[in-house]
């Protein structure tokens, strides 16, 4: 399951710093606690193309089909490095 990283917690800031310090880093695995749960997590940089921003750019410019089919949509206004960085929650390790 791929999840967007929560924007304003220390864990996210540490992961983002790792990607910012190494522009060639595509992704990495880490065994860690996240929200108190142990697990193996995979972080991956995802390239954002101009076509992605048609739906995920400015909130006010999203296509009508998104507003109609997903009124709770929060995948807009992507800016900065957080855009396209996702966490894969893996199996719990012991």
């Amino acid at each position: 399951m791929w999840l967007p990283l929560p924007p304003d917690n220390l864990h996210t800031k540490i992961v983002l710093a790792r990607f910012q310090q190494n522009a060639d880093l595509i992704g990495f695995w880490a065994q860690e606690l996240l929200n108190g749960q142990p697990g193996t997590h995979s972080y991956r940089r995802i390239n954002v193309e101009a076509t992605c921003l048609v739906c995920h750019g400015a909130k006010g410019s999203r296509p009508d089909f998104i507003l109609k089919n997903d009124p709770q949509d929060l995948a807009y206004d992507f800016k900065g490095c957080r855009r396209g960085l996702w966490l894969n929650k893996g199996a719990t390790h012991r």
Side-chain angles (χ1 to χ4, degrees), residues 4-80:
L5 290 175
D8 296 321
N9 69 29
L10 180 60
H11 184 80
T12 298
K13 291 176 184 178
I14 291 169
V15 170
L16 288 175
R18 188 164 176 186
F19 279 102
Q20 289 170 342
Q21 291 167 2
N22 184 351
D24 294 328
L25 180 64
I26 301 297
F28 64 93
W29 292 87
Q31 291 188 347
E32 58 201 356
L33 286 176
L34 186 59
N35 297 326
Q37 299 294 317
T40 301
H41 301 110
S42 170
Y43 298 92
R44 181 153 178 87
R45 186 188 310 260
I46 299 171
N47 292 333
V48 177
E49 307 291 337
T51 55
C52 302
L53 295 177
V54 171
C55 296
H56 300 291
K59 179 179 180 179
S61 67
R62 293 174 295 157
D64 288 338
F65 76 89
I66 290 180
L67 302 174
K68 179 181 176 190
N69 295 329
D70 191 2
Q72 303 300 317
D73 174 51
L74 298 176
Y76 55 81
D77 287 340
F78 289 139
K79 297 177 184 132

